């Protein structure tokens, strides 16, 4: 049986939809931000294995690169730890800060495939 083709922008739409749900109701999805990072890794792996979406286009890679370029915070320990560290420096809540960062990132990520993800 042949699998239907899924583009990178299809993956992005599904990833953003999942992230929006998680931000809207965080405790339904995670208690710590690193758990959301793991969920998103698993979400991407399904697309990678089933539809050959390249890892370079994953939320983890793209968001980490963007976060580092925007804030100069290292994501070597993962984007969730970077957001937690940034939130501590700014005396902000990690979930609130992540939501704000996501709002800034999604339009830029959408532009990479000329699709509307919002």
């Amino acid at each position: 049986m042949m699998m239907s083709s899924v583009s990178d922008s299809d993956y992005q739409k599904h990833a953003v939809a999942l992230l929006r749900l998680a931000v809207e109701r965080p405790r339904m999805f995670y208690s710590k931000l690193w758990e959301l990072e793991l969920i998103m890794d698993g979400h991407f792996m399904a697309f990678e294995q089933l539809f050959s979406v390249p890892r370079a286009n994953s939320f983890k890679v793209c968001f980490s690169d963007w976060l580092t370029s925007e804030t100069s915070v290292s994501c070597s320990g993962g984007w969730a730890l970077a957001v937690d560290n940034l939130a501590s420096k700014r005396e902000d809540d990690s979930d609130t800060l992540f939501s704000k960062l996501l709002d800034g990132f999604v339009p830029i990520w959408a532009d990479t495939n000329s699709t509307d993800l919002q």
Side-chain angles (χ1 to χ4, degrees), residues 1-72:
M1 178 192 322
M2 192 166 192
M3 296 300 246
S4 61
S5 175
V6 171
S7 67
D8 292 358
S9 63
D10 291 331
Y11 159 70
Q12 287 177 335
K13 287 178 189 177
H14 291 288
V16 168
L18 177 56
L19 286 161
R20 294 279 185 223
L21 287 171
V23 165
E24 189 176 303
R25 294 187 177 90
R27 296 310 164 251
M28 288 182 67
F29 289 86
Y30 63 95
S31 58
K32 300 286 184 190
L33 202 52
W34 63 265
E35 293 168 331
L36 179 59
E37 183 170 3
L38 292 176
I39 289 168
M40 294 308 298
D41 284 351
H43 181 262
F44 171 73
M45 285 181 182
F47 280 85
E48 180 183 43
Q49 291 176 6
L50 293 173
F51 305 110
S52 299
V53 173
R55 187 143 192 81
N57 296 342
S58 70
F59 174 77
K60 181 176 191 156
V61 170
C62 295
F63 183 69
S64 295
D65 289 349
W66 175 83
L67 185 60
T68 298
S69 70
E70 290 293 310
T71 65
S72 299

Side-chain angles (χ1 to χ4, degrees), residues 74-94:
S74 172
C75 290
S76 62
W79 60 259
L81 180 60
V83 171
D84 286 341
N85 290 340
L86 192 58
S88 291
K89 287 181 186 175
R90 295 182 180 182
E91 297 181 1
D92 201 354
D93 173 70
S94 293

